[in-house]
Amino acid sequence: MATNDMQNDDTELIKRQHLRQMQEAQERLQEAQEELEDAQDEFEQAQDELDEVHAQLHALDGENSELADLLAVDPAEESSLLEQETGKQDENTETAEAETKSSSLMASVEYVHGKKRESIPLDKLSGYKKDSSRLLWVGLKDPSNKELKKVCRDLGILDEAAEELMLTHRKPKLVDYGDSIHLVAVTITKESKKLIFGEMQMIFGIGFVLTVRRGGAMSNSSLRDRLENCPELIARGSDFVVAEILDVYADSLSALASRLEVEVNQVEQKMMLRGFKETDIRKLYKQRRDLLRIHTCMAPMIEICRKLALVNSSIIEKDSRSYFSIVSDRIARIDEQINSLREALAFAFEASLMIGQSHQTDITKKLAAWAAMLAVPTAIAGIYGMNFEFMPELKWEWGYPLVLVVMFGICGSLYWRFKKAGWL
């Protein structure tokens, strides 16, 4: 019976060793993949920095050559060259300002009964007449304050609302000015494992919608194309267009939540395979912090959309209020998903701690078992190592082998008991 038990114990020990080897191989493979990804990111960053340094060196070489040419010119010609350089700089500045102004305008289109009529330049907005049968949709991307002031003045927007549009907001906001409603939504995108926060400000009233995007904000071009293919949708008015923009905003949040869910699942699988290291705990903390920032930027939009669904305003028709309610419910579900991901990361961290404690307990048991086995020969050898003349069995020729047999017998018995109890 004892022989069968020893064979079964040896078989289980071999199986455990194979499982541990497989787990270690999987861990090494995953670590190698992570190191490869980190190395690729570092290589790309180093390459970008190298390109910037090369560009700066070329610029410095050009400046040095121009400076040498200026130093070589006669004093009489120096003034004329400086005037020419100044004129070129002024022309470049004007060209850059013109490019900035043209790039800030994404679209400025007038719709009549839902059908596209014409594109109106920003310098001709002052003659636009607001009417419920017409809709002017102006989209700006990172506009200058001067340009934004002019657009607001041409559209008859209050100065207070114009000043609010010029500010950069960290959280969603809703302001009702009576003849117009100002709405701020914080956009969130993720590129190369980093969150990018932007904002989309919308101010709308009867016959017009003005959208201002800053930072990593989403684009409305696909939505505009879709609505232009269905004129009856645009004909519903500016409130419906804003509701559709918020619905696209909810789509972007849903895609972000799905991507974050995949990352959280990878973290959980990693924890189940080999537990967390110090670097993994740092990454987990960063992920939980990012999820908290997303929740902070997203949660106020739930109340804002609910308020738009219940507010008694001439700008928002009764048929459009239900759309704001639907968007509010969607964002609320996405927010619950984000909170569940935060809890999943917290549970993964707690489970990792419990696994680590269990591993430490196993190590403590093994150390205690080996200490108990080593205590027996240590005690016997310590007794017979005393410098006394009269001790039992000192002159007996079988005393030394007997002591060794007793020590090995006791240690073997302890090893078998600890092995059976699972301590070794």
Side-chain angles (χ1 to χ4, degrees), residues 4 53 59 77 88 165 170 180 205 227 238 314 341 343 354 385:
N4 293 330
V53 171
E77 298 178 356
K88 290 181 180 180
L165 281 171
R170 299 291 183 182
S180 62
L227 293 179
S238 59
S314 59
L341 293 178
E343 293 179 358
M354 294 177 64

Side-chain angles (χ1 to χ4, degrees), residues 267-395:
V267 170
E268 291 179 340
Q269 292 176 0
K270 189 175 184 180
M271 182 272 298
M272 293 299 295
L273 286 175
R274 62 179 179 84
F276 286 153
K277 298 180 181 178
E278 183 178 356
T279 55
D280 298 327
I281 294 175
R282 294 179 184 275
K283 292 180 181 179
L284 187 144
Y285 172 76
K286 184 178 180 298
Q287 287 179 327
R288 290 201 66 193
R289 184 189 62 185
D290 291 341
L291 291 175
L292 180 60
R293 293 175 64 189
I294 294 172
H295 167 73
T296 304
C297 296
M298 185 192 308
M301 287 299 299
I302 302 172
E303 297 299 327
I304 288 175
C305 293
R306 287 176 182 173
K307 188 175 181 180
L308 290 174
L310 300 174
V311 68
N312 186 12
S313 175
S314 59
I315 301 174
I316 302 177
E317 298 181 358
K318 293 183 179 179
D319 296 337
S320 299
R321 293 177 184 176
S322 59
Y323 294 103
F324 290 104
S325 180
I326 293 172
V327 173
S328 176
D329 294 338
R330 289 192 61 194
I331 297 177
R333 288 193 294 269
I334 297 171
D335 186 56
E336 291 177 357
Q337 184 180 3
I338 295 296
N339 291 331
S340 65
L341 293 178
R342 288 177 58 204
E343 293 179 358
L345 290 178
F347 292 153
F349 179 70
E350 293 176 358
S352 177
L353 289 180
M354 294 177 64
I355 292 174
Q357 292 176 357
S358 177
H359 185 62
Q360 290 178 357
T361 303
D362 292 339
I363 294 175
T364 303
K365 289 180 179 179
K366 291 179 181 180
L367 293 176
W370 285 109
M373 287 187 291
L374 292 175
V376 175
T378 302
I380 297 175
I383 292 172
Y384 277 91
M386 295 180 182
N387 295 322
F388 292 103
E389 182 178 356
F390 300 101
M391 292 186 69
E393 309 302 338
L394 286 178
K395 303 296 183 179

Side-chain angles (χ1 to χ4, degrees), residues 106-155:
M106 296 293 102
S108 177
V109 183
E110 180 185 8
Y111 303 91
V112 179
H113 297 292
K115 295 182 179 179
K116 183 178 180 181
R117 181 181 178 184
E118 62 177 346
S119 298
I120 303 177
L122 294 183
D123 54 357
K124 296 182 180 180
L125 293 179
S126 58
Y128 175 74
K129 295 181 180 180
K130 299 177 183 178
D131 188 2
S132 59
S133 63
R134 306 164 66 185
L135 176 65
L136 177 63
W137 187 355
V138 180
L140 302 177
K141 178 71 168 64
D142 296 325
S144 62
N145 291 339
K146 182 179 179 181
E147 183 180 11
L148 196 55
K149 282 183 180 179
K150 184 180 182 303
V151 172
C152 292
R153 184 172 60 253
D154 294 340
L155 293 178

